[in-house]
Amino acid sequence: MLHVFLKNKLVSADAIVPVLLDARRQGLTDEIRFYVQSPKAMNALKENAILWLALNQLGNVLLVVPENRRFATILRHRFFAINWLTRLSVSVLFGKSKIIHFGQLYSSAVYRVLVSLRKSSVIVVEGAFAGFSQTQTTFAKLKPDRSNTFDLSLVKNIAVFEGESELAMQVRNRGREPIVIGKPHNLSGWISFLDEHCADVFPEHHKEIFSVILGTFGKLDFFPAGNTAEKLLTETIDILLERGQGRPIYIKPHVITDRNELKRILLKYADAPILITDLHPSILAKRAVFTLANYYSTVLSTVHGSNGITVEYTHYSEKALQLSNGRSMRDDSVTYFIQNDPEALRVLVSQLCSKADRNCVDIKRGSTPVELMRWMVG
């Protein structure tokens, strides 16, 4: 049996689900159980219809913390946890179960014991499937520290998504070689899953759309003002409505997006073809003329890697632009970068709408690596 401990960010599920779908395609038959470590994360997964469907197609999804702080709920959960952890520990110890996690289990004394019982039955997967560019690492000086929080000496098996990522280099510096998965959203099992369900989630008349990816409306150190995110979104919507020839705008909030703020911003567009959606960005990209974000998101890496067109329309501060040499923090994942130039965005939207080329076609499909398959089925 395979036990997958997800982090509290959707990116961990978004990274591992395509890998496991492709492993199923290649013959993985083991039962899979996913563990979610916060009610907020569980709700976010349920709202992401495609990801939730994939998780439940692969196996079962369990919340391993109390749903609320009521005494009866906590007591009931503790009895469940003792029983569950005891059985899981025995199963791991005797080689009947394997554990996939993202490094977070080493921060808990209980889980640290669990993953130390039989190290060959545990694998740590890199948490960021898009990796980090040098410019992005420089940008991190303006953001919270993203460094690893676990000791590599505790880990026997490590899988990364990019062979030159920071974690991959750290592993090699210790004289070891990580398993390199590649782009998870280009794996054949994931693409087939999307193709199977794409037609089910769009209205018949939404043949082409715009996909707008949100982050936070809060203050960000790389923006010049506290209201920059809101200003960029309204500029984006105004231009898409002006030049988009009636194509609907699908707005995809992030977990950190304040949805009440979003609804307030959209009040003046009550009659416009705008939808707030929780569809997976890979599904949106299949119908999108392009995928746009107002600051870099890993979604852009996902879409760009699938031959989709990506646009970063932003307004970075002078300090941030100096760090990025006037470009995106992830130039390799952004087709068009526009810095605080509404007219340039107008021209680009008109140009892209006039093209007949379809997004996300002729994707070079990948497979879950042999080494990872061997570990899972061995």
Side-chain angles (χ1 to χ4, degrees):
M1 187 171 182
L2 201 55
H3 300 263
V4 183
F5 287 80
L6 301 173
K7 293 184 75 172
N8 287 337
K9 293 185 177 180
L10 285 189
V11 68
S12 62
D14 200 14
I16 200 64
V17 162
V19 177
L20 295 174
L21 282 171
D22 194 66
R24 278 276 193 256
R25 178 187 66 85
Q26 294 189 56
L28 176 68
T29 59
D30 288 35
E31 183 182 350
I32 302 175
R33 185 168 292 165
F34 297 93
Y35 300 100
V36 183
Q37 296 173 298
S38 84
K40 183 178 180 180
M42 179 68 93
N43 290 335
L45 286 170
K46 289 179 179 179
E47 288 170 354
N48 192 314
I50 292 297
L51 205 51
W52 185 247
L53 179 64
L55 284 164
N56 284 277
Q57 181 174 304
L58 285 165
N60 300 316
V61 188
L62 297 179
L63 181 66
V64 294
V65 296
E67 295 178 5
N68 54 59
R69 304 310 299 170
R70 295 193 186 101
F71 177 76
T73 304
I74 294 172
L75 188 63
R76 184 170 61 250
H77 175 266
R78 286 186 178 173
F79 281 118
F80 157 76
I82 292 170
N83 178 52
W84 159 65
L85 281 171
T86 301
R87 291 164 56 198
L88 178 55
S89 298
V90 172
S91 183
V92 170
L93 186 61
F94 288 95
K96 301 296 185 182
S97 291
K98 293 182 178 180
I99 293 175
I100 295 175
H101 69 111
F102 299 85
Q104 79 276 20
L105 299 190
Y106 295 112
S107 62
S108 161
V110 173
Y111 285 133
R112 197 180 308 126
V113 172
L114 175 65
V115 295
S116 300
L117 291 172
R118 189 185 178 98
K119 291 184 179 180
S120 61
S121 294
V122 178
I123 191 166
V124 172
V125 178
E126 186 175 28
F129 59 78
F132 293 99
S133 69
Q134 182 58 49
T135 304
Q136 197 174 357
T137 303
T138 305
F139 257 66
K141 296 175 182 176
L142 302 177
K143 299 180 182 180
D145 182 27
R146 295 176 181 265
S147 59
N148 289 319
T149 57
F150 63 92
D151 183 353
L152 288 175
S153 65
L154 299 172
V155 187
K156 181 178 177 63
N157 304 299
I158 296 179
V160 299
F161 291 100
E162 293 191 354
E164 301 304 316
S165 71
E166 183 180 349
L167 178 58
M169 300 303 288
Q170 290 177 8
V171 173
R172 290 195 184 98
N173 287 340
R174 290 174 170 266
R176 298 159 60 191
E177 192 63 31
I179 297 173
V180 180
I181 297 171
K183 297 180 184 297
H185 300 100
N186 285 18
L187 294 174
S188 187
W190 172 250
I191 296 172
S192 296
F193 178 81
L194 293 185
D195 289 342
E196 181 182 348
H197 297 285
C198 183
D200 300 337
V201 297
F202 291 104
E204 181 63 29
H205 58 290
H206 287 186
K207 300 296 186 185
E208 288 188 353
I209 67 171
F210 297 114
S211 175
V212 178
I213 308 301
L214 299 185
T216 180
F217 293 120
K219 189 177 186 306
L220 293 168
D221 289 339
F222 47 75
F223 279 166
N227 67 340
T228 299
E230 178 179 339
K231 182 172 178 288
L232 285 167
L233 178 59
T234 55
E235 284 180 359
T236 297
I237 292 173
D238 289 341
I239 292 169
L240 292 180
L241 292 174
E242 174 191 331
R243 298 294 179 96
Q245 302 169 6
R247 291 175 176 86
I249 303 170
Y250 279 64
I251 296 180
K252 165 71 174 168
H254 191 279
V255 174
I256 61 174
T257 304
D258 185 330
R259 293 195 178 221
N260 291 327
E261 251 328 85
L262 175 59
K263 290 175 182 177
R264 179 189 64 77
I265 293 168
L266 295 180
L267 281 175
K268 69 174 182 176
Y269 301 106
D271 298 323
I274 298 175
L275 298 86
I276 299 174
T277 181
D278 288 300
L279 286 175
H280 193 280
S282 293
I283 282 278
L284 296 174
K286 285 185 168 290
R287 294 282 178 97
V289 177
F290 55 78
T291 298
L292 182 148
N294 292 135
Y295 63 91
Y296 173 75
S297 163
T298 54
V299 169
L300 298 184
S301 292
T302 298
V303 175
H304 193 271
S306 301
N307 292 344
I309 297 171
T310 58
V311 178
E312 185 176 352
Y313 176 64
T314 192
H315 186 183
Y316 289 137
S317 66
E318 288 301 319
K319 181 181 178 183
L321 287 172
Q322 289 173 6
L323 292 174
S324 68
N325 293 319
R327 302 191 299 271
S328 169
M329 67 176 84
R330 280 302 296 264
D331 239 14
D332 59 327
S333 299
V334 176
T335 314
Y336 299 99
F337 176 76
I338 300 175
Q339 162 69 14
N340 192 30
D341 190 342
E343 187 56 34
L345 182 60
R346 286 189 180 90
V347 171
L348 179 63
V349 172
S350 295
Q351 288 176 343
L352 294 179
C353 285
S354 68
K355 292 183 177 181
D357 297 340
R358 299 294 299 173
N359 245 340
C360 300
V361 295
D362 300 324
I363 303 171
K364 184 179 180 181
R365 296 190 178 209
S367 296
T368 300
V370 173
E371 307 96 314
L372 186 54
M373 285 297 302
R374 191 179 297 127
W375 178 84
M376 285 192 283
V377 302

